[in-house]
Amino acid sequence: MTKDQVLILEQQGNISHLMLNRPEKRNALNDDLVAALDAFFADVPEQTRAIVISGTGGHFSSGLDLSQHVARQPLDVMAHSRNWHRVMARIAHSPVPVVAAMSGAVMGGGLEFAAACHVRVAEETVRFQMPEGLRGIFVGGGGSVRISRLIGTDRLTEMMLTGRTYSGVEGERLGLAHHLVPEGQAVEKAVELAGRIARNSRTINGFIIQAIAQIGSMPPEAGLYAESLTAALSQTGPDAEEGLKAFLEKRPPNFG
Amino acid sequence: MTKDQVLILEQQGNISHLMLNRPEKRNALNDDLVAALDAFFADVPEQTRAIVISGTGGHFSSGLDLSQHVARQPLDVMAHSRNWHRVMARIAHSPVPVVAAMSGAVMGGGLEFAAACHVRVAEETVRFQMPEGLRGIFVGGGGSVRISRLIGTDRLTEMMLTGRTYSGVEGERLGLAHHLVPEGQAVEKAVELAGRIARNSRTINGFIIQAIAQIGSMPPEAGLYAESLTAALSQTGPDAEEGLKAFLEKRPPNFG
Amino acid sequence: MTKDQVLILEQQGNISHLMLNRPEKRNALNDDLVAALDAFFADVPEQTRAIVISGTGGHFSSGLDLSQHVARQPLDVMAHSRNWHRVMARIAHSPVPVVAAMSGAVMGGGLEFAAACHVRVAEETVRFQMPEGLRGIFVGGGGSVRISRLIGTDRLTEMMLTGRTYSGVEGERLGLAHHLVPEGQAVEKAVELAGRIARNSRTINGFIIQAIAQIGSMPPEAGLYAESLTAALSQTGPDAEEGLKAFLEKRPPNFG
Amino acid sequence: MTKDQVLILEQQGNISHLMLNRPEKRNALNDDLVAALDAFFADVPEQTRAIVISGTGGHFSSGLDLSQHVARQPLDVMAHSRNWHRVMARIAHSPVPVVAAMSGAVMGGGLEFAAACHVRVAEETVRFQMPEGLRGIFVGGGGSVRISRLIGTDRLTEMMLTGRTYSGVEGERLGLAHHLVPEGQAVEKAVELAGRIARNSRTINGFIIQAIAQIGSMPPEAGLYAESLTAALSQTGPDAEEGLKAFLEKRPPNFG
Amino acid sequence: MTKDQVLILEQQGNISHLMLNRPEKRNALNDDLVAALDAFFADVPEQTRAIVISGTGGHFSSGLDLSQHVARQPLDVMAHSRNWHRVMARIAHSPVPVVAAMSGAVMGGGLEFAAACHVRVAEETVRFQMPEGLRGIFVGGGGSVRISRLIGTDRLTEMMLTGRTYSGVEGERLGLAHHLVPEGQAVEKAVELAGRIARNSRTINGFIIQAIAQIGSMPPEAGLYAESLTAALSQTGPDAEEGLKAFLEKRPPNFG
Amino acid sequence: MTKDQVLILEQQGNISHLMLNRPEKRNALNDDLVAALDAFFADVPEQTRAIVISGTGGHFSSGLDLSQHVARQPLDVMAHSRNWHRVMARIAHSPVPVVAAMSGAVMGGGLEFAAACHVRVAEETVRFQMPEGLRGIFVGGGGSVRISRLIGTDRLTEMMLTGRTYSGVEGERLGLAHHLVPEGQAVEKAVELAGRIARNSRTINGFIIQAIAQIGSMPPEAGLYAESLTAALSQTGPDAEEGLKAFLEKRPPNFG
């Protein structure tokens, strides 16, 4: 890939680093960029064990590119929203964990996108905002489900009513980010975390990102049952054997 | 209305400011006050675009007026609780957003009431407490649902078991408030926020306060579907047109 | 009981203080210890009004004793997990509230256990961690349900992917603890809280720990209905009478 | 009331018999008729213990009066639908049970209305149909929730795709009706059932129509807890005492 | 055991046949009988692969023994109901499937009990009824959850409001029974079915009775995930191997 | 396509007729056939308005081809099951309705497949069966979710425990089929129904098959809200206009 592309991939060993690359639009998510994400996640490289996503030009993403959104009919809006849902689900159900390195603007669709990632690093100067309400439209990229999962429906309602901005520091406190770093250091931290994640068993990483989310939508009793099924199944196959063997031999496991 | 009334309404342009007015009881919520709230929310003034609620005398509300509550039979308690639920639902489903300006005591039923509002401003000196457990009774004004939505069932359980008090500062951190201000400034901040909210499209404010809460009670897949329906529908009618036009023309929208 | 036992009970008036007592294993939860907890909660002493749980040797619990866990077949893992669920449910549904006094390691199964308690006190130096993922296994002691209830599925996913450690200070902020104390003071604080809880009506404490959790798994409308039923029922019997009488007479209630 | 009214009330002792009275339109539900139902259920006569609803002119109801529905804007359709939901909820949450006596056409909104009643009697010649799909519109009167509750989402989907008609005989088999009678006998049977229901305790009838429906939307464990609360509460007050006394004295209870 | 006992066990090879034995009370479920069921299901004989339950004297069970139920306080009613729930859950979560052979009266608590069994055979002359409502009390043995699961909340509401009786023929049609037999043949059919069930793998029978019910309380997407976990886990261990081997060798499997 | 293919497509105007074509295996669903279904539903012909699916050789489908299934590892079983779920979801979320024409064997995976279709026609001689349990394995193609949706978890549990067979006549009664026809007439009836469905608006057919299912997984209050959104949105665009115009002009609509 080259710098002309809206999505740049740098493969660093078993880590895929994706860069949103529309810096002149603060990486607004237009149809091309969504399609490029779709294509990547439909066919994650075989050797990849973790994915890092960042934005070029100092911003993660300013959200849906509204200049494309003008004058759509309601049923077109519905179709457009369902397509985002499909692509965001690909990310959330990625075969390997996804780490978002967030800087600058993380707004609207950009925050919806970040909320579909599994680990989120924020620079202190990040600006989280959901400005849709101010512009007279509702969210459509999954935010009412995924951002609510992070901060609750109550805080999301207030964010959208008032259009307020939260900083990276505040965002880490509320659940919009898991790690807080000084300006300019999000990618470095994200790559470090991706490296740590990549040393886990691919099987167990898959269960962690799938099963915990699924169990979270079950009633408690059913969730406990599903947890037991997952625990039992995670003991199957060579990775589980290596993990327990390494523990007994007091060495780090090597999951290949 | 006059100062003799348990609920004072001051209409400030398109903002309705309601004041709980039983200062000698720290605005304990007796049947008259609940009935007055019911009457107001059954017939919100046509011009109103946002509502501010505060308490006179330095307190938001000390909760259910227990002096009225003595010696009720169980089925009367049930009926009383269901009536609170009906009135609190009127507030939560208000045609326009409601901003609570909280000072002093925000206790028991007072906190249940605040939790039915959409935006909550707390003064640093606010005292949040759920003292029902200490008095040998359970909550009945919606708190087990609405306060749990803000801070989780686990924190509410601990609050009720120990009867602890959280300050305004702590409350903002936990989710009991969205904005923190020094003592004496809650109303001013609430009015400012109400003004900002009132500039939004009435239609979109309605979707924000209704749809996000409804989606929050759905399983994730169903929630995403409902989000797409809402997004599509929010594009219908003159407000949506003005919002997108204003965005293209780089001016603030005027939703009339 | 004697110091040789894996679980020590000290009865202090109406408070039962349980001490996990495998200090050489940082109180790792082996089958004997789980069985001892099972036995205690199956038959809580009649006079007990609150329970405190702590660990000897400076640690709460380092989690599942993996040295016992080696080479289990998947269906044995399932049975082992279901047995933990049964015992943890006994704790969560204990006839009286349970206060965890947490120091040192609160890891893996140790954190799952703490999450089944109703009140949690953390020393600042506590280390919260979910290391299962690093070892190639999933959780099986209820954590995917109960820890998610405290911090959300999103934060639990990140904890398990990266194996990160949260301090006591961070844990209190996130919801892993309700009270934060300096090193060495968790038991003292837990006993104080247990004493406060023990002065409540036993009936109302039972409703608080049962009903709020049950209502939390219901849709909102159904939850409100169940709240009204609970409120009405909590007015039945001599405790409710004493509580209201005491309130009117402006004295602390005496629930006997 | 007189024959000119769209809704006729005949009070027969403690039974209120409501007749939809637009026979020339096969009792299509226009705004006036919905408003009349709203007004009745907002203020059910004090002496009423059960309500019977039937249609004049040989039909229960042919559904929404589409001649009123023409050329509405989407947001008006939404408001219209929400108003139906409000009135149908009044019926479903009526203070006393409602028995529908169904004859002739029970179509579209007419079936949505019947599904909000607690007991449904069908004449063999009844024709159940959901024709909205054939006309290019979706249901809006609660049918996707309440008819699905009776026959499942799968059968409702098929009914709407094909526009098929089920007879009264088929409807009783599927769950659209509880009692099947020959043509012309629905009202008689409904009045008989209403009489039987009216002899029950008003309190217990209220719990039956409210609690079973609420429990039905809860996860199983939570539902069982709510059942126990309801059972306990149903033992409170004079009606419960009379019920048990009568059982012991082997006589029918007299709930007054 | 002898004929004096309220619960008779006949062990027939790998099938345990339990007989409710209070014929003079049409097998009304008093505390002794519930305790005897509790004791049996707490310790099902090792060799047992299926359980048959029937009633002596021509009736399955006339339900809760109300002669014991008189003059209980509300909180005692709650405790009594929770104890039934505990014992009924033991049956529903039995280690091996339970087949109910129903004759005569299957009323109230008797039907709640039958609904906790996994397979139900009804004689044509069975009389299903929920008479609690007529006596002024609500259900407390799990019926609002488990009978609703069989026939829906709507039919249960009607049954309780009118106190109607369904025959065995009708019950099989509605879902109260899976098999219909002439009078006097329920036990024979139940034993035959138990024999067929006992030839299945014990592991797979366990998954069938646990997993399908748990999945039934999950949202669809989560349910599908749990289904995949269960399918994968069911392939583990010697029973799965034998099952597939037998299929390939075109012989009946022998699960030992 | 030719007769050599496992899946034959006959395009009949705006109806696509798919034929499962492995008659020698009673149309057992092997990986090739599942892949062929996947490919078709990923790219439904533009002109298609309804899809009919039947089996050649007198059978609909005998289910998963177990001869391919031998000796899989648990994690492979999981992946295989998740792939079925993905393809079955494509069918259930097809852009146009799918009608299953069922004859002969409709067993195991064949019934899971049929349950993902929107309309099901059964010949009287159809044999519905879920034989997995007898072979020592659990379902993995969506049946625990989708067949439970048709007949409830209770009946599915019994089917799997006993391995019983239901006829077409019984299946129509229970909800496994919507239409019952004599042997040999399923395809003719299915094509007739598909023709009727194809005359509906494509937009409204899409809402019927998507929205009713999604609403069915929501709590009732949330479901009603989503119904209103759908009703409002269904009024948007040219199809809605034509539908209402045709109704007023008393002519069949022409949705083009």
Side-chain angles (χ1 to χ4, degrees):
Chain A
M1 296 192 182
T2 79
K3 291 278 176 185
D4 292 355
Q5 294 179 295
V6 294
L7 187 67
I8 302 172
L9 167 64
E10 284 185 13
Q11 188 73 25
Q12 305 170 344
N14 59 9
I15 295 172
S16 295
H17 183 179
L18 292 174
M19 278 163 277
L20 311 182
N21 188 39
R22 298 184 72 214
E24 74 289 358
K25 292 279 192 173
R26 296 188 299 165
N27 299 315
L29 292 152
N30 64 357
D31 290 351
D32 283 356
L33 191 39
V34 170
L37 288 165
D38 189 17
F40 175 80
F41 280 96
D43 190 23
V44 172
E46 187 60 36
Q47 77 268 35
T48 295
R49 287 295 173 273
I51 296 163
V52 170
I53 302 182
S54 64
T56 62
H59 295 282
F60 184 72
S61 171
S62 59
L64 180 65
D65 192 341
L66 277 176
S67 65
Q68 283 198 338
H69 209 62
V70 172
R72 280 208 173 98
Q73 290 301 307
L75 293 173
D76 297 335
V77 174
M78 175 115 191
H80 187 265
S81 168
R82 294 305 277 166
N83 189 55
W84 264 65
H85 290 168
R86 191 182 55 75
V87 178
M88 293 299 125
R90 278 231 160 123
I91 297 168
H93 297 290
S94 160
V96 301
V98 182
V99 183
M102 303 185 291
S103 57
V106 186
M107 292 166 59
L111 181 49
E112 294 180 283
F113 173 30
C117 299
H118 307 99
V119 176
R120 289 179 307 283
V121 178
E123 298 181 2
E124 290 163 359
T125 50
V126 153
R127 294 189 309 285
F128 293 112
Q129 195 192 13
M130 292 301 289
E132 284 85 347
L134 308 186
R135 293 166 187 164
I137 57 176
F138 196 70
V139 290
S144 68
V145 172
R146 288 205 185 89
I147 302 175
S148 289
R149 201 169 57 100
L150 305 185
I151 62 172
T153 54
D154 179 71
R155 285 219 202 252
L156 178 59
T157 298
E158 194 272 341
M159 276 184 91
M160 289 197 64
L161 285 175
T162 64
R164 82 187 294 171
T165 298
Y166 283 115
S167 70
V169 176
E170 292 167 314
E172 188 275 339
R173 179 162 69 85
L174 298 179
L176 295 173
H178 306 102
H179 295 270
L180 186 67
V181 294
E183 190 169 350
Q185 301 185 14
V187 169
E188 184 183 349
K189 180 69 177 179
V191 170
E192 177 211 318
L193 290 167
R196 205 191 301 180
I197 291 167
R199 285 195 291 277
N200 292 347
S201 144
R202 184 172 169 145
T203 298
I204 204 67
N205 278 346
F207 280 125
I208 290 170
I209 64 181
Q210 297 292 333
I212 294 176
Q214 297 283 8
I215 289 168
S217 76
M218 299 175 188
E221 289 303 312
L224 292 169
Y225 189 76
E227 179 187 274
S228 291
L229 294 170
T230 311
L233 202 55
S234 79
Q235 304 278 357
T236 290
D239 279 0
E241 205 167 315
E242 164 64 10
L244 284 165
K245 195 144 169 278
F247 175 80
L248 284 187
E249 297 172 2
K250 304 196 178 184
R251 59 168 174 84
N254 177 1
F255 294 113
Chain B
M1 298 192 181
T2 79
K3 291 279 177 187
D4 291 355
Q5 294 180 292
V6 293
L7 186 68
I8 302 172
L9 166 64
E10 285 186 12
Q11 188 74 24
Q12 305 171 343
N14 59 9
I15 295 173
S16 295
H17 183 180
L18 292 175
M19 278 163 276
L20 311 182
N21 189 38
R22 299 184 71 214
E24 74 289 357
K25 291 279 192 173
R26 294 188 300 166
N27 299 315
L29 292 151
N30 64 356
D31 291 351
D32 283 355
L33 191 39
V34 171
L37 287 165
D38 189 17
F40 176 80
F41 280 94
D43 190 23
V44 172
E46 188 60 34
Q47 77 268 35
T48 295
R49 286 295 174 272
I51 296 163
V52 170
I53 302 182
S54 63
T56 61
H59 296 281
F60 184 72
S61 171
S62 59
L64 181 66
D65 192 341
L66 277 176
S67 65
Q68 283 198 336
H69 210 60
V70 171
R72 280 208 172 98
Q73 290 300 309
L75 294 173
D76 296 334
V77 174
M78 174 117 192
H80 188 264
S81 168
R82 294 305 276 167
N83 189 55
W84 264 65
H85 289 167
R86 192 182 55 74
V87 177
M88 293 299 125
R90 279 232 160 122
I91 297 168
H93 296 290
S94 160
V96 299
V98 182
V99 183
M102 304 184 291
S103 56
V106 185
M107 292 165 58
L111 182 49
E112 295 181 282
F113 173 30
C117 300
H118 307 101
V119 176
R120 288 180 305 286
V121 178
E123 297 182 1
E124 291 163 357
T125 49
V126 152
R127 295 188 310 284
F128 293 112
Q129 195 192 14
M130 292 301 289
E132 284 85 345
L134 307 186
R135 293 167 188 163
I137 57 176
F138 196 70
V139 289
S144 68
V145 171
R146 289 205 184 89
I147 302 175
S148 289
R149 200 169 58 101
L150 304 186
I151 62 171
T153 54
D154 179 71
R155 286 219 202 252
L156 178 58
T157 298
E158 195 270 342
M159 275 185 90
M160 289 197 64
L161 285 176
T162 64
R164 82 188 294 172
T165 298
Y166 282 116
S167 70
V169 176
E170 292 167 315
E172 189 275 341
R173 179 163 69 85
L174 299 178
L176 296 174
H178 305 103
H179 295 271
L180 186 66
V181 293
E183 190 170 350
Q185 300 186 13
V187 169
E188 185 183 350
K189 180 70 176 179
V191 170
E192 177 210 319
L193 291 165
R196 205 191 302 181
I197 292 167
R199 285 195 291 279
N200 293 346
S201 144
R202 185 172 168 147
T203 298
I204 204 66
N205 278 346
F207 280 126
I208 291 171
I209 63 181
Q210 297 293 333
I212 294 176
Q214 297 283 8
I215 289 168
S217 76
M218 298 176 188
E221 290 302 314
L224 292 169
Y225 188 76
E227 179 187 273
S228 291
L229 294 170
T230 311
L233 201 56
S234 79
Q235 304 278 355
T236 291
D239 280 0
E241 207 168 313
E242 164 64 10
L244 285 165
K245 195 144 168 276
F247 174 81
L248 284 186
E249 297 172 2
K250 303 194 180 185
R251 59 166 174 83
N254 177 0
F255 295 114
Chain C
M1 296 192 183
T2 79
K3 292 278 178 184
D4 292 355
Q5 293 180 295
V6 294
L7 186 68
I8 300 172
L9 166 64
E10 284 185 13
Q11 188 74 23
Q12 304 171 344
N14 58 8
I15 296 172
S16 295
H17 183 179
L18 291 174
M19 278 163 276
L20 311 182
N21 188 37
R22 299 185 71 214
E24 74 289 358
K25 292 279 192 173
R26 295 189 300 166
N27 299 316
L29 292 151
N30 65 356
D31 291 351
D32 283 355
L33 190 39
V34 171
L37 287 166
D38 189 16
F40 175 79
F41 280 95
D43 190 22
V44 172
E46 187 61 34
Q47 77 269 34
T48 296
R49 288 293 174 272
I51 296 163
V52 169
I53 301 183
S54 64
T56 61
H59 296 281
F60 185 72
S61 171
S62 59
L64 182 66
D65 193 340
L66 276 176
S67 65
Q68 282 197 338
H69 209 62
V70 172
R72 280 208 172 98
Q73 290 299 308
L75 294 173
D76 296 335
V77 173
M78 174 116 192
H80 187 265
S81 169
R82 293 306 276 167
N83 189 55
W84 264 66
H85 289 168
R86 191 182 55 74
V87 177
M88 292 299 125
R90 278 232 160 123
I91 297 167
H93 297 291
S94 160
V96 300
V98 182
V99 183
M102 303 184 291
S103 57
V106 185
M107 293 166 59
L111 181 48
E112 294 180 282
F113 174 30
C117 300
H118 307 100
V119 176
R120 290 179 305 285
V121 178
E123 297 182 0
E124 290 163 357
T125 49
V126 153
R127 293 188 311 284
F128 294 113
Q129 194 191 13
M130 292 301 290
E132 284 85 345
L134 307 185
R135 293 165 188 165
I137 57 175
F138 197 69
V139 290
S144 68
V145 171
R146 288 206 184 87
I147 302 175
S148 289
R149 201 168 58 101
L150 304 186
I151 62 171
T153 54
D154 178 72
R155 286 219 203 250
L156 178 59
T157 298
E158 195 269 343
M159 275 185 91
M160 289 197 63
L161 284 175
T162 64
R164 81 187 295 170
T165 299
Y166 283 116
S167 69
V169 176
E170 292 168 315
E172 188 275 340
R173 179 163 69 84
L174 299 178
L176 296 173
H178 306 102
H179 295 270
L180 187 66
V181 293
E183 190 168 350
Q185 301 185 13
V187 169
E188 184 182 351
K189 180 70 176 177
V191 170
E192 177 210 319
L193 291 166
R196 205 191 302 181
I197 291 167
R199 285 195 292 278
N200 292 347
S201 144
R202 184 172 169 147
T203 299
I204 204 67
N205 278 346
F207 279 125
I208 290 171
I209 63 181
Q210 297 293 332
I212 294 177
Q214 297 283 8
I215 289 168
S217 76
M218 299 176 188
E221 290 302 313
L224 292 169
Y225 189 75
E227 179 187 274
S228 291
L229 293 170
T230 311
L233 202 54
S234 79
Q235 305 278 357
T236 291
D239 280 0
E241 206 167 317
E242 164 63 10
L244 284 166
K245 195 144 169 276
F247 174 79
L248 284 186
E249 297 173 1
K250 303 195 179 185
R251 58 168 175 82
N254 177 0
F255 295 114
Chain D
M1 297 192 182
T2 80
K3 291 280 177 186
D4 292 356
Q5 293 180 293
V6 293
L7 186 68
I8 301 173
L9 167 64
E10 285 185 10
Q11 189 73 22
Q12 305 170 344
N14 58 9
I15 295 173
S16 296
H17 183 180
L18 293 174
M19 279 163 275
L20 311 182
N21 189 38
R22 300 184 72 214
E24 74 289 359
K25 293 276 192 175
R26 295 188 299 167
N27 300 315
L29 292 151
N30 64 357
D31 291 351
D32 283 355
L33 190 39
V34 171
L37 287 165
D38 189 16
F40 175 79
F41 280 96
D43 190 24
V44 172
E46 187 61 32
Q47 78 269 34
T48 295
R49 288 293 173 272
I51 296 163
V52 169
I53 301 183
S54 64
T56 62
H59 296 282
F60 184 72
S61 171
S62 60
L64 181 66
D65 192 340
L66 276 176
S67 66
Q68 281 198 337
H69 208 62
V70 172
R72 280 210 173 97
Q73 291 300 307
L75 294 174
D76 296 334
V77 174
M78 174 116 193
H80 188 265
S81 168
R82 294 306 276 167
N83 189 56
W84 264 65
H85 289 168
R86 192 183 54 75
V87 177
M88 293 299 125
R90 278 234 160 118
I91 297 168
H93 297 291
S94 160
V96 302
V98 181
V99 183
M102 303 183 294
S103 57
V106 185
M107 292 166 59
L111 182 48
E112 296 180 280
F113 173 31
C117 300
H118 308 100
V119 176
R120 289 180 305 284
V121 178
E123 296 181 3
E124 291 163 358
T125 50
V126 152
R127 295 189 309 284
F128 294 113
Q129 194 191 15
M130 292 300 291
E132 283 86 344
L134 308 185
R135 293 167 187 164
I137 57 175
F138 196 70
V139 289
S144 68
V145 171
R146 288 207 184 86
I147 303 174
S148 290
R149 201 168 58 100
L150 303 186
I151 63 172
T153 54
D154 180 71
R155 287 223 202 248
L156 178 59
T157 298
E158 194 270 341
M159 275 185 91
M160 289 197 65
L161 284 175
T162 64
R164 82 187 294 170
T165 298
Y166 283 116
S167 70
V169 176
E170 292 167 314
E172 188 276 338
R173 179 163 70 83
L174 298 178
L176 296 173
H178 307 103
H179 295 269
L180 188 65
V181 294
E183 191 169 352
Q185 301 185 13
V187 168
E188 184 184 351
K189 181 69 176 178
V191 170
E192 176 210 319
L193 290 166
R196 201 190 305 180
I197 291 167
R199 285 195 291 279
N200 292 347
S201 144
R202 185 173 169 147
T203 298
I204 205 66
N205 278 346
F207 280 124
I208 291 170
I209 63 182
Q210 298 291 334
I212 294 176
Q214 296 283 9
I215 289 168
S217 75
M218 298 176 189
E221 290 301 315
L224 291 169
Y225 188 75
E227 178 187 273
S228 291
L229 294 170
T230 311
L233 202 55
S234 80
Q235 304 278 357
T236 290
D239 280 0
E241 209 168 312
E242 164 63 11
L244 284 166
K245 196 144 168 276
F247 175 80
L248 284 187
E249 296 172 3
K250 302 193 178 185
R251 59 167 174 84
N254 178 0
F255 295 113
Chain E
M1 296 194 183
T2 77
K3 291 277 177 186
D4 292 354
Q5 292 181 293
V6 293
L7 186 68
I8 300 172
L9 167 65
E10 285 186 11
Q11 187 73 23
Q12 305 170 344
N14 58 10
I15 295 173
S16 295
H17 183 180
L18 292 174
M19 278 163 275
L20 311 183
N21 189 38
R22 300 184 71 213
E24 75 288 0
K25 293 277 192 174
R26 294 189 300 165
N27 299 315
L29 292 151
N30 64 357
D31 291 350
D32 283 355
L33 191 39
V34 171
L37 287 165
D38 189 17
F40 176 80
F41 280 96
D43 190 24
V44 172
E46 187 61 33
Q47 78 269 34
T48 295
R49 287 293 174 275
I51 297 162
V52 170
I53 301 182
S54 65
T56 62
H59 296 282
F60 185 71
S61 171
S62 59
L64 180 66
D65 192 341
L66 276 177
S67 65
Q68 282 198 337
H69 208 60
V70 172
R72 279 208 174 99
Q73 291 300 306
L75 294 173
D76 296 335
V77 174
M78 174 116 193
H80 187 265
S81 169
R82 295 305 278 166
N83 189 56
W84 264 66
H85 290 167
R86 191 182 56 75
V87 177
M88 292 300 126
R90 278 233 160 121
I91 297 167
H93 297 290
S94 160
V96 301
V98 182
V99 183
M102 303 184 293
S103 57
V106 185
M107 293 166 59
L111 181 48
E112 295 180 281
F113 174 31
C117 300
H118 308 99
V119 177
R120 289 180 305 284
V121 178
E123 297 181 2
E124 291 163 358
T125 50
V126 153
R127 295 189 310 285
F128 294 112
Q129 194 192 14
M130 293 300 290
E132 283 85 346
L134 307 186
R135 292 167 190 164
I137 57 176
F138 196 71
V139 288
S144 67
V145 171
R146 288 207 184 86
I147 303 175
S148 290
R149 200 169 59 100
L150 305 186
I151 62 172
T153 53
D154 180 70
R155 285 220 202 251
L156 177 59
T157 298
E158 194 271 341
M159 277 185 89
M160 289 197 65
L161 284 176
T162 63
R164 83 188 292 171
T165 297
Y166 283 116
S167 71
V169 176
E170 293 167 313
E172 188 275 339
R173 178 162 70 84
L174 299 178
L176 295 173
H178 307 102
H179 296 269
L180 187 65
V181 293
E183 190 170 351
Q185 300 185 16
V187 168
E188 184 182 350
K189 180 68 176 179
V191 169
E192 176 210 321
L193 290 166
R196 203 191 303 179
I197 291 167
R199 285 195 291 280
N200 292 348
S201 144
R202 184 173 169 146
T203 297
I204 204 67
N205 277 347
F207 279 125
I208 291 170
I209 62 181
Q210 297 292 333
I212 294 176
Q214 296 283 9
I215 289 167
S217 75
M218 298 177 190
E221 289 302 313
L224 292 168
Y225 188 77
E227 179 187 274
S228 291
L229 293 170
T230 311
L233 202 55
S234 79
Q235 303 278 355
T236 290
D239 279 0
E241 208 168 313
E242 164 63 11
L244 284 165
K245 196 145 169 275
F247 175 80
L248 283 187
E249 297 172 2
K250 302 191 180 187
R251 58 166 175 84
N254 177 1
F255 295 114
Chain F
M1 295 191 183
T2 79
K3 291 279 180 186
D4 292 356
Q5 293 180 295
V6 293
L7 186 68
I8 301 172
L9 167 63
E10 284 186 12
Q11 188 73 23
Q12 304 170 344
N14 58 10
I15 295 172
S16 295
H17 183 179
L18 292 174
M19 279 163 275
L20 311 182
N21 188 38
R22 299 184 71 214
E24 74 288 1
K25 293 278 193 173
R26 296 188 299 165
N27 300 315
L29 292 151
N30 65 358
D31 291 351
D32 283 355
L33 191 38
V34 171
L37 287 165
D38 189 17
F40 175 80
F41 280 95
D43 190 23
V44 172
E46 186 61 32
Q47 76 269 34
T48 296
R49 288 292 174 272
I51 297 163
V52 169
I53 301 182
S54 64
T56 62
H59 295 281
F60 184 72
S61 172
S62 60
L64 181 66
D65 192 340
L66 276 176
S67 66
Q68 282 197 339
H69 208 62
V70 172
R72 280 209 173 97
Q73 291 300 307
L75 293 174
D76 296 335
V77 174
M78 174 116 193
H80 187 264
S81 169
R82 293 305 277 167
N83 189 55
W84 264 66
H85 289 169
R86 192 182 56 75
V87 177
M88 292 301 125
R90 278 231 159 123
I91 297 167
H93 296 291
S94 160
V96 301
V98 182
V99 183
M102 304 183 293
S103 57
V106 186
M107 292 165 59
L111 182 48
E112 294 181 282
F113 173 31
C117 301
H118 307 99
V119 177
R120 291 180 304 285
V121 178
E123 297 181 359
E124 291 163 357
T125 50
V126 152
R127 294 189 309 285
F128 294 112
Q129 194 191 15
M130 292 301 291
E132 284 86 344
L134 307 186
R135 292 165 189 165
I137 57 176
F138 196 71
V139 288
S144 67
V145 171
R146 289 207 183 84
I147 303 174
S148 290
R149 200 168 58 99
L150 304 186
I151 62 172
T153 55
D154 180 70
R155 286 222 202 249
L156 177 59
T157 298
E158 195 270 343
M159 276 185 89
M160 289 197 64
L161 284 176
T162 63
R164 82 188 293 172
T165 298
Y166 284 115
S167 71
V169 176
E170 293 167 313
E172 189 275 340
R173 178 163 69 84
L174 298 178
L176 296 172
H178 307 102
H179 296 270
L180 187 66
V181 293
E183 191 168 351
Q185 301 185 15
V187 168
E188 183 183 350
K189 180 69 176 178
V191 169
E192 176 210 320
L193 290 166
R196 201 191 306 180
I197 291 167
R199 285 194 292 279
N200 292 347
S201 144
R202 183 172 170 149
T203 298
I204 204 66
N205 278 346
F207 279 125
I208 290 170
I209 63 181
Q210 298 292 333
I212 294 176
Q214 297 282 9
I215 289 168
S217 75
M218 299 176 189
E221 290 301 313
L224 292 169
Y225 188 77
E227 179 187 273
S228 291
L229 293 170
T230 311
L233 202 55
S234 79
Q235 304 278 356
T236 290
D239 280 1
E241 209 168 313
E242 164 64 10
L244 283 166
K245 196 145 168 276
F247 174 81
L248 284 188
E249 297 171 3
K250 301 192 181 187
R251 59 169 174 81
N254 178 0
F255 295 113

